[in-house]
Amino acid sequence: MHSDHATRAQPSVPGWLRFVLASDRAGSAWYLGLGFFFAPALAIASPWPALTTTLWVVIALAGLSLGLLGIAMATGLAIVLKSGVEIPEDYWRSIFDYVSSPNVSSPNVNSQTVSEPPTSPCSRPASA
């Protein structure tokens, strides 16, 4: 008898999650950057209530879209967590445009060779 677990393929990370993570990252960067534009624009547009209202609506819709992306991101990561799949480091590096880490355990490495420092940032989480 074959076990059902032996023949079942391990579930992977949902394909849409990469799009959501990348969109959230890019959208957050744009939202923050455009905040420097909207602050003086609101000050200049304050004599015209219709223009001020329009700017506030644009800011609110952009914030709402980031909030919806955040909900989608939390949902996707919860699906992955519930399935027990570990998201590999290369997946995260591909979203943040980091190069993959070099293979340090190569058998052809000479112990006399001086290695260069890594060019990619530290892989620790930001909270550590």
Side-chain angles (χ1 to χ4, degrees):
M1 272 191 181
H2 284 257
S3 172
D4 188 32
H5 295 289
T7 58
R8 187 183 327 161
Q10 185 178 19
S12 63
V13 180
W16 55 267
L17 185 58
R18 176 182 302 277
F19 172 76
V20 168
L21 289 169
S23 297
D24 185 67
R25 179 176 180 248
S28 296
W30 273 96
Y31 193 75
L32 181 69
L34 286 178
F36 292 106
F37 163 76
F38 275 109
L42 284 169
I44 293 171
S46 63
W48 300 282
L51 183 57
T52 304
T53 302
T54 303
L55 288 174
W56 277 115
V57 168
V58 169
I59 293 168
L61 290 175
L64 178 65
S65 68
L66 284 176
L68 293 174
L69 281 172
I71 291 170
M73 181 173 42
T75 303
L77 292 173
I79 291 170
V80 171
L81 182 64
K82 185 177 179 182
S83 69
V85 174
E86 182 177 340
I87 300 176
E89 185 175 348
D90 287 339
Y91 182 85
W92 295 111
R93 288 181 177 273
S94 69
I95 292 172
F96 295 113
D97 298 328
Y98 294 145
V99 294
S100 60
S101 56
N103 187 2
V104 187
S105 62
S106 176
N108 296 330
V109 174
N110 186 354
S111 62
Q112 302 294 329
T113 309
V114 177
S115 64
E116 294 182 26
T119 57
S120 62
C122 181
S123 62
R124 287 189 334 216
S127 61

